[in-house]
Amino acid sequence: MVFPPRGDKRGGLIMKTICLYFEIHQIVHLKRYRFFDIGTDHYYYDDYENDRSISDIVERSYMPALETFEQMFQQFGKKFKVAFSLSGVGVEQLELHAPQVLTKLQELNKTGCVEFLAEPYSHGLASLIKPESFADEVKRQCDKMEEYFGKRPTVLRNSSLIYSDDIGHQVSQMGFKGMLTEGAKHVLGWKSPHYLYHCAMAPKLKLLLRDVTLSDDISLRFNDPTWDEYPLFADNYIQKIAKAPQEEQVFNIFMELSALGIAQPLSSNILEFVKALPAVAEKEGITFSLPSEIFGKLKSVDALHVPDTLSWVDEERDVSCWLGNVMQREAFQKLYGIADRVRIANDPRINQDWDYLQASNNFRFMTTKPSNVGLDRGIYDSPFDAFTNYMNILGDFINRVNALYPEEIDNDELNSLLTTIKNQGDEIERKDKEIVRLQAKVEKMQKEEDKLKAKLDKVAEKPKKGAEKPKKVAAPKAEKK
């Protein structure tokens, strides 16, 4: 048992548990693309920078962190557990540039101490404007997780923990039992993030809320010598949890995996700090749990009302870092204005470009907001430069989409095609479920037949009760001459 069900006690205290989660996503860097390239160059990516950046992050962060987790699983067994989510775009980049990371994740998966979550394939913002695109992306990412790790996710985290009541309602309809989001002060008010909540519009969808302070202590402040808690040690960190009110049960520590090695360099001893956490936590009676375990064991204490969208980015904890200015909104509307046509065209090369152009970092580079977290704009000198380059690429991409599915086709025909596609998808899904059901039925009947056959064979081998043994017949004596 990971921790006692709600109401059980240990030493007079309700046992506390830590939910540790890491995001793995990789930016696909766009190349410098000028107005005169539109119509002549349909390749938008900086291959050198993509290879360089992912090789750097794998060497300095991903592999050292994952190897550390492997050592911890060997030392502590199932007393230590970690959840991950990988964007589909991130997986594609790892397949191309660093397959050893995926191999290591598969090895960790075999320990039973890891859970892989669902998220949008592109790490994009479709949930804010196109429910159909959002659902399709999540399904494709789940397919990818099942392909690599043998199990479909039952818990979802949206890009950058984006969440609202409406998004939660859709996620519940998609069949997920739980979701991760931000424990933002303006949403919680006087409430604590250390409880399990549920979606206000879909009570069956349970919610885990990130503890902002505990998460940022590691991901943002750990190596900051001006911080009043510097240096941070594992025992001091765990004491913050141990001293929390006894009825507070769940402490959700969520961050990017790159925090271990990039945001907080390996020279800061960040991995030694992480390695010390399980032993210190065990002394305080604090466990580690996976999201699905928590959703399965605890009951929600209340609904979480989120009418306006929140995220884990910046002080505002909203979506203004992606859609806060006119340039961002213009690019966003242009991109998703062709979403339906992209779905109908269903061209492999178009689909891949669509995923890469949706990634939220493309809009983040256009922000004009000040931020307490440093923003590396890469090749861009300014948000205006980022906007211009992106819109040039988007202009070429839209032309390619329209060439496959002309813009002149009216909305009625478009809607008719979309309805047909949806109906076909629903029919295929129904047939797939029926096939699975029939296969299970056939397997059950086969097992019953095998059992019956084995029983009959056993009965046939045993002599019947009360049956007379055959009498020995004496051989006839030879006649005397």
Side-chain angles (χ1 to χ4, degrees), residues 226-280:
T226 65
W227 181 36
D228 57 4
E229 293 185 38
Y230 178 86
L232 181 64
F233 295 103
D235 52 356
N236 296 340
Y237 187 79
I238 293 296
Q239 275 300 310
K240 293 182 181 181
I241 297 173
K243 290 178 179 178
Q246 65 181 44
E247 63 273 10
E248 297 189 359
Q249 298 174 289
V250 185
F251 295 79
N252 304 305
I253 302 167
F254 305 160
M255 66 193 78
E256 297 176 6
L257 185 59
S258 60
L260 309 182
I262 303 297
Q264 307 304 322
L266 298 179
S267 59
S268 69
N269 293 322
I270 184 66
L271 294 181
E272 285 70 20
F273 166 81
V274 172
K275 285 174 71 173
L277 290 175
V280 178

Side-chain angles (χ1 to χ4, degrees), residues 344-361:
I344 292 171
N346 197 27
D347 176 81
R349 178 66 189 277
I350 289 289
N351 290 342
Q352 185 178 59
D353 290 340
W354 172 249
D355 285 334
Y356 296 167
L357 292 177
Q358 282 189 90
S360 62
N361 57 275

Side-chain angles (χ1 to χ4, degrees), residues 241-406:
I241 297 173
K243 290 178 179 178
Q246 65 181 44
E247 63 273 10
E248 297 189 359
Q249 298 174 289
V250 185
F251 295 79
N252 304 305
I253 302 167
F254 305 160
M255 66 193 78
E256 297 176 6
L257 185 59
S258 60
L260 309 182
I262 303 297
Q264 307 304 322
L266 298 179
S267 59
S268 69
N269 293 322
I270 184 66
L271 294 181
E272 285 70 20
F273 166 81
V274 172
K275 285 174 71 173
L277 290 175
V280 178
E282 188 176 14
K283 289 180 182 178
E284 296 291 341
I286 299 169
T287 65
F288 286 81
S289 300
L290 300 173
S292 61
E293 292 176 331
I294 297 172
F295 291 140
K297 291 179 181 291
L298 291 184
K299 293 182 179 179
S300 169
V301 298
D302 198 4
L304 186 74
H305 295 273
V306 189
D308 299 317
T309 311
L310 63 83
S311 77
W312 71 357
V313 180
D314 292 346
E315 288 296 323
E316 296 84 354
R317 301 290 193 263
D318 59 13
V319 297
S320 58
C321 66
W322 303 291
L323 302 175
N325 63 44
V326 174
M327 295 183 297
Q328 292 170 310
R329 292 191 290 274
E330 170 71 11
F332 184 72
Q333 294 293 336
K334 282 278 188 184
L335 177 67
Y336 285 101
I338 58 167
D340 293 336
R341 295 174 187 275
V342 170
R343 288 174 60 210
I344 292 171
N346 197 27
D347 176 81
R349 178 66 189 277
I350 289 289
N351 290 342
Q352 185 178 59
D353 290 340
W354 172 249
D355 285 334
Y356 296 167
L357 292 177
Q358 282 189 90
S360 62
N361 57 275
N362 293 312
F363 301 94
R364 176 78 160 151
F365 292 151
M366 302 176 201
T367 186
T368 51
K369 282 179 58 183
S371 175
N372 60 344
V373 179
L375 175 61
D376 180 4
R377 298 186 199 269
I379 63 172
Y380 305 123
D381 298 325
S382 68
F384 311 101
D385 186 26
F387 172 73
T388 301
N389 200 68
Y390 184 80
M391 292 303 285
N392 287 340
I393 291 173
L394 187 57
D396 183 78
F397 180 72
I398 290 173
N399 289 342
R400 290 166 56 207
V401 172
N402 288 338
L404 289 172
Y405 193 85

Side-chain angles (χ1 to χ4, degrees), residues 425-450:
D426 292 343
E427 182 65 22
I428 291 170
E429 188 175 352
R430 281 194 296 272
K431 287 182 178 179
D432 286 344
K433 288 180 179 178
E434 182 64 15
I435 290 170
V436 171
R437 188 186 70 80
L438 290 173
Q439 285 176 337
K441 190 174 181 180
V442 169
E443 289 174 7
K444 185 179 178 182
M445 292 172 67
Q446 185 64 50
K447 287 179 181 178
E448 289 176 353
E449 183 182 340
D450 292 342

Side-chain angles (χ1 to χ4, degrees), residues 47-48 152 161 171 211 275 297 315 366 419 475 477:
D47 290 335
Y48 172 80
R152 292 188 77 79
L161 298 188
V171 169
D211 184 303
K275 285 174 71 173
K297 291 179 181 291
E315 288 296 323
M366 302 176 201
T419 301
K477 292 180 180 180

